[in-house]
Amino acid sequence: MAAVALKNQLNAHIASMFAAGFLDKQFQELQMLQDDGSSPGFVSEVVGLFIDDAEKITGLIAGLLDQPVVDFDKVDALVHQLKGSSASVGAQRVKLSCEQFHSYYEAKNRDGCVMALALLRNEFYDSRSKFQTMFQLEQQIEACS
Amino acid sequence: MENAAFASGAGIVQAYPGGTMRVLAVEEDPAYLTALTEMLQRHGYQVTAKASPEEGLRALQDNLEGFDLVMTVVRTQGPGIDGFEFLKHAAQRYPVILFSGVEPEETKMRGMLEGACAFLTKPLRDEEVRNVWQHVVARRRLNAASGADARGSDVVAVRQDETVARKRGLDDSGEGGSDGRTAKKNRLNSWSEEELHAAFVKAVEQLRGTEGN
């Protein structure tokens, strides 16, 4: 009974993530890989790797923007990497934030990049929090089973 | 039986001559490397996953016969070679699929001109991953055709086999007799790769006595 309630809560939570634009259909692709039964915990593993990697990348970008002379090519490369990484797990808001970053480093605009990074980080932290809630619910469901 | 084996994507991959297709997957993004590996395995591929083109190149050098296909990310952040440099080494021996985030067409063109058999955009769709076996088969056919052009005696052997089969009364092509054989000999030089392959398969089946089964 508790498991059913938790499953409903989890489904509602995921639905709200889709509705609010945190997730796109790529996340559904990952869920399908897990749902066929051969890889339980696969989604949490992949998203966990994404979260760790994104944390590292945003830190590197911040470090580059802190330098007296900003290497915008490296900023470009890191944002491209994070965009690909977020796209691969369906973290849509993070991906879109990366796209908004583009015009600032193209223009070699440090202040613009700093602002874009702040927005990107906000979206990333919000997404991370949503994912963590999702995985906590999954763990509770698993514990009930 | 053949149709049943091919009913699932895994069936096609596992029916591959020589056994399951072996893919070397190279990607710096750990999340995507995990996802891509899972997708490939779900479709029946045997996957070796490496976290950089540098590691991928070492894997190839350590086991030259160990792979049928290479899939590699193009852009890398870490030290060592990038995907394009890796492509130069790998494409000499293997079909190579490049993948990346959204890239300009010039980048994709560069990849194709430098030897890639495909340049895909991340994240790859499930259908794209399922169908990578096609590049292996295409490369094998290309290699076989290149080999057949260089080895004229093999073509003669095919023709001689058909002659033997005809003498045994197994050939009902209606091209029996010396006139028929001469006509076929004259056509030989104008055969396309597909005709040559079909003739070879027919000859083998005739020798086995399995044609039409």
Side-chain angles (χ1 to χ4, degrees), chain A residues 26 29-30 32-33 36 38-39 42 45-47 49-50 53 74 76-78 80-81 83-89, chain B residues 28-32 34-40 42-43 75-78 100-103 122-127:
Chain A
Q26 177 60 23
E29 297 271 343
L30 293 184
M32 275 168 42
L33 288 173
D36 72 0
S38 58
S39 308
F42 169 72
E45 180 190 358
V46 172
V47 173
L49 289 168
F50 159 70
D53 203 43
K74 280 191 181 168
D76 175 9
L78 286 168
H80 182 93
Q81 185 179 346
K83 183 179 163 187
S85 180
S86 57
S88 69
V89 300
Chain B
E28 264 194 349
D29 173 357
Y32 196 64
T34 302
L36 179 60
T37 300
E38 180 67 23
M39 288 168 79
L40 285 163
R42 199 168 79 102
H43 289 303
R75 289 216 207 183
T76 56
Q77 295 300 312
S100 183
V102 176
E103 293 282 359
K122 284 167 56 176
L124 274 61
R125 287 176 286 114
D126 189 63
E127 186 180 340

Side-chain angles (χ1 to χ4, degrees), chain B residues 149-202:
Chain B
D149 285 345
R151 296 192 306 275
S153 58
D154 286 346
V155 172
V156 172
V158 168
R159 190 160 55 84
Q160 287 174 342
D161 286 339
E162 290 189 71
T163 304
V164 168
R166 203 176 302 121
K167 282 184 179 171
R168 289 179 184 169
L170 295 176
D171 178 20
D172 61 353
S173 66
E175 289 186 297
S178 60
D179 287 344
R181 288 194 289 276
T182 301
K184 196 155 194 172
K185 177 181 178 179
N186 289 339
R187 270 199 358 248
L188 187 64
N189 289 336
S190 65
W191 280 5
S192 68
E193 180 197 322
E194 287 80 9
E195 286 174 312
L196 195 63
H197 178 73
F200 177 75
V201 170
K202 182 178 177 182

Side-chain angles (χ1 to χ4, degrees), chain A residues 34-95:
Chain A
Q34 176 170 289
D35 288 347
D36 72 0
S38 58
S39 308
F42 169 72
V43 174
S44 59
E45 180 190 358
V46 172
V47 173
L49 289 168
F50 159 70
I51 288 172
D52 290 344
D53 203 43
E55 192 91 68
K56 186 181 78 180
I57 289 173
T58 52
L60 288 171
I61 294 173
L64 285 170
L65 294 177
D66 253 349
Q67 299 300 310
V69 179
V70 177
D71 187 340
F72 286 101
D73 288 339
K74 280 191 181 168
V75 172
D76 175 9
L78 286 168
V79 174
H80 182 93
Q81 185 179 346
L82 181 56
K83 183 179 163 187
S85 180
S86 57
S88 69
V89 300
Q92 181 172 248
R93 279 200 179 178
V94 179
K95 183 185 78 173

Side-chain angles (χ1 to χ4, degrees), chain A residues 4 10-12 21 37-38 51 60 62 69 79 82 97 103 107 110 112-113 127 130 132 138 142-144:
Chain A
V4 170
L10 174 62
N11 290 339
S38 58
I51 288 172
L60 288 171
V69 179
V79 174
L82 181 56
S97 298
S103 57
R110 181 208 291 264
C113 285
S127 299
K130 297 281 185 190
Q132 286 169 342
E138 284 183 349
E142 185 72 22
C144 285

